[in-house]
Coordinates of all heavy atoms in Angstrom, one line a residue:
L1 N -11.2 0.3 3.6 CA -11.4 1.7 3.2 C -12.8 2.0 3.0 O -13.7 1.2 2.7 CB -10.6 1.9 1.8 CG -9.1 1.7 1.8 CD1 -8.6 1.7 0.4 CD2 -8.4 2.7 2.7
P2 N -13.2 3.3 3.2 CA -14.6 3.6 3.1 C -15.1 3.7 1.7 O -14.2 4.0 0.8 CB -14.7 5.0 3.8 CG -13.3 5.6 3.6 CD -12.4 4.4 3.6
P3 N -16.3 3.5 1.4 CA -16.8 3.6 0.0 C -16.5 5.0 -0.5 O -16.6 6.0 0.3 CB -18.3 3.4 0.2 CG -18.5 2.6 1.4 CD -17.4 3.0 2.3
G4 N -16.2 5.1 -1.8 CA -15.9 6.4 -2.4 C -14.4 6.9 -2.2 O -14.1 8.0 -2.5
T5 N -13.5 6.0 -1.8 CA -12.1 6.4 -1.5 C -11.5 7.1 -2.7 O -10.8 8.1 -2.6 CB -11.3 5.1 -1.1 OG1 -11.7 4.7 0.2 CG2 -9.8 5.4 -1.1
G6 N -11.7 6.6 -3.9 CA -11.2 7.3 -5.1 C -9.7 7.1 -5.4 O -9.0 6.4 -4.7
H7 N -9.3 7.7 -6.5 CA -8.0 7.6 -7.1 C -6.9 8.0 -6.1 O -6.0 7.2 -5.7 CB -7.9 8.4 -8.3 CG -6.5 8.5 -8.9 ND1 -5.9 7.5 -9.7 CD2 -5.5 9.5 -8.8 CE1 -4.7 7.9 -10.1 NE2 -4.4 9.1 -9.6
S8 N -6.9 9.2 -5.6 CA -5.8 9.7 -4.7 C -5.8 8.9 -3.4 O -4.8 8.7 -2.8 CB -5.9 11.2 -4.4 OG -7.2 11.5 -3.8
G9 N -7.0 8.5 -2.9 CA -7.1 7.7 -1.7 C -6.5 6.4 -1.8 O -5.8 5.9 -0.8
Y10 N -6.7 5.7 -2.9 CA -6.0 4.4 -3.1 C -4.5 4.6 -3.1 O -3.8 3.8 -2.5 CB -6.5 3.8 -4.4 CG -7.5 2.7 -4.2 CD1 -8.9 3.1 -4.1 CD2 -7.2 1.4 -4.0 CE1 -9.9 2.1 -3.9 CE2 -8.2 0.4 -3.7 CZ -9.5 0.8 -3.7 OH -10.5 -0.2 -3.4
L11 N -4.0 5.6 -3.8 CA -2.5 5.8 -3.9 C -2.0 6.1 -2.5 O -0.9 5.6 -2.2 CB -2.2 6.9 -4.9 CG -2.6 6.6 -6.3 CD1 -2.1 7.7 -7.3 CD2 -2.2 5.3 -6.8
A12 N -2.7 6.9 -1.7 CA -2.3 7.2 -0.4 C -2.2 6.0 0.5 O -1.3 5.8 1.3 CB -3.2 8.3 0.2
A13 N -3.3 5.1 0.4 CA -3.3 3.9 1.2 C -2.2 3.0 0.9 O -1.6 2.3 1.7 CB -4.7 3.2 1.1
M14 N -1.9 2.9 -0.4 CA -0.7 2.1 -0.8 C 0.6 2.6 -0.2 O 1.4 1.9 0.3 CB -0.7 2.1 -2.4 CG -1.8 1.3 -3.1 SD -1.4 -0.5 -3.1 CE -0.1 -0.5 -4.4
Q15 N 0.8 3.9 -0.4 CA 2.0 4.6 0.0 C 2.2 4.5 1.5 O 3.3 4.3 2.0 CB 2.1 6.0 -0.5 CG 3.4 6.6 -0.5 CD 4.4 5.9 -1.5 OE1 4.0 5.7 -2.7 NE2 5.6 5.6 -1.1
R16 N 1.1 4.7 2.2 CA 1.3 4.9 3.7 C 1.2 3.6 4.5 O 1.7 3.5 5.6 CB 0.2 5.9 4.2 CG 0.4 7.3 3.7 CD -0.8 8.2 3.9 NE -1.1 8.4 5.3 CZ -2.0 9.2 5.8 NH1 -2.7 10.0 4.9 NH2 -2.2 9.4 7.1
L17 N 0.5 2.6 3.9 CA 0.3 1.3 4.7 C 0.8 0.1 4.0 O 1.5 -0.7 4.5 CB -1.2 1.2 5.0 CG -1.8 2.3 5.9 CD1 -3.3 2.3 5.9 CD2 -1.3 2.0 7.4
A18 N 0.3 -0.2 2.8 CA 0.6 -1.4 2.1 C 2.0 -1.6 1.7 O 2.7 -2.6 2.0 CB -0.3 -1.6 0.9
L19 N 2.6 -0.6 1.0 CA 3.9 -0.7 0.5 C 5.0 -0.8 1.7 O 5.9 -1.6 1.6 CB 4.3 0.4 -0.4 CG 3.4 0.5 -1.7 CD1 3.8 1.7 -2.6 CD2 3.4 -0.8 -2.5
P20 N 4.9 0.0 2.7 CA 5.8 -0.1 3.8 C 5.8 -1.5 4.5 O 6.9 -2.0 4.8 CB 5.4 1.0 4.8 CG 4.7 2.0 4.0 CD 4.0 1.2 2.9
A21 N 4.6 -2.1 4.6 CA 4.6 -3.4 5.2 C 5.3 -4.4 4.4 O 6.0 -5.3 4.9 CB 3.1 -3.8 5.4
I22 N 5.1 -4.3 3.1 CA 5.8 -5.3 2.2 C 7.3 -5.0 2.2 O 8.1 -6.0 2.2 CB 5.2 -5.2 0.8 CG1 3.7 -5.6 0.8 CG2 6.0 -6.0 -0.2 CD1 3.0 -5.2 -0.5
R23 N 7.7 -3.8 2.2 CA 9.1 -3.5 2.2 C 9.8 -4.0 3.5 O 10.9 -4.6 3.4 CB 9.3 -1.9 2.1 CG 10.8 -1.5 2.0 CD 10.9 0.0 1.9 NE 10.3 0.5 0.7 CZ 11.0 0.5 -0.4 NH1 12.2 0.1 -0.5 NH2 10.4 1.0 -1.5
N24 N 9.1 -3.9 4.6 CA 9.7 -4.4 5.8 C 9.8 -5.9 5.9 O 10.7 -6.5 6.5 CB 8.8 -3.9 7.0 CG 9.0 -2.4 7.3 OD1 9.9 -1.8 6.9 ND2 8.0 -1.8 7.9
F25 N 8.8 -6.5 5.2 CA 8.8 -8.0 5.2 C 9.9 -8.5 4.2 O 10.5 -9.6 4.5 CB 7.5 -8.5 4.7 CG 7.3 -10.0 4.6 CD1 7.2 -10.7 5.7 CD2 7.3 -10.6 3.4 CE1 7.1 -12.1 5.7 CE2 7.1 -12.0 3.3 CZ 7.0 -12.8 4.4
A26 N 10.3 -7.8 3.2 CA 11.4 -8.2 2.3 C 11.1 -9.6 1.7 O 11.9 -10.5 1.9 CB 12.7 -8.1 3.0
P27 N 10.1 -9.7 0.9 CA 9.8 -11.0 0.3 C 10.7 -11.4 -0.9 O 11.4 -10.5 -1.4 CB 8.4 -10.8 -0.3 CG 8.3 -9.4 -0.7 CD 9.1 -8.7 0.4
D28 N 10.7 -12.6 -1.3 CA 11.5 -13.1 -2.4 C 10.7 -12.8 -3.7 O 11.3 -12.7 -4.8 CB 11.7 -14.6 -2.4 CG 12.5 -15.0 -1.2 OD1 13.4 -14.3 -0.8 OD2 12.2 -16.1 -0.6
V29 N 9.4 -12.6 -3.6 CA 8.5 -12.3 -4.8 C 7.3 -11.6 -4.3 O 6.8 -11.8 -3.1 CB 8.2 -13.6 -5.5 CG1 7.4 -14.5 -4.7 CG2 7.4 -13.3 -6.8
L30 N 6.7 -10.7 -5.1 CA 5.5 -10.0 -4.7 C 4.4 -10.4 -5.7 O 4.6 -10.4 -6.9 CB 5.7 -8.5 -4.9 CG 4.5 -7.5 -4.7 CD1 3.8 -7.8 -3.4 CD2 5.0 -6.1 -4.8

């Protein structure tokens, strides 16, 4: 992420990229 991403940017990156990848992987533990 670029410097200065900020609060809403972090939440957006989580929602759009990180969380879907984890959901698709379906781990036994996070």
Side-chain angles (χ1 to χ4, degrees):
L1 298 172
T5 287
H7 172 79
S8 62
Y10 260 87
L11 299 185
M14 289 279 287
Q15 196 67 44
R16 294 169 63 173
L17 294 164
L19 301 181
I22 296 166
R23 183 180 296 277
N24 289 339
F25 181 72
D28 299 325
V29 60
L30 174 54

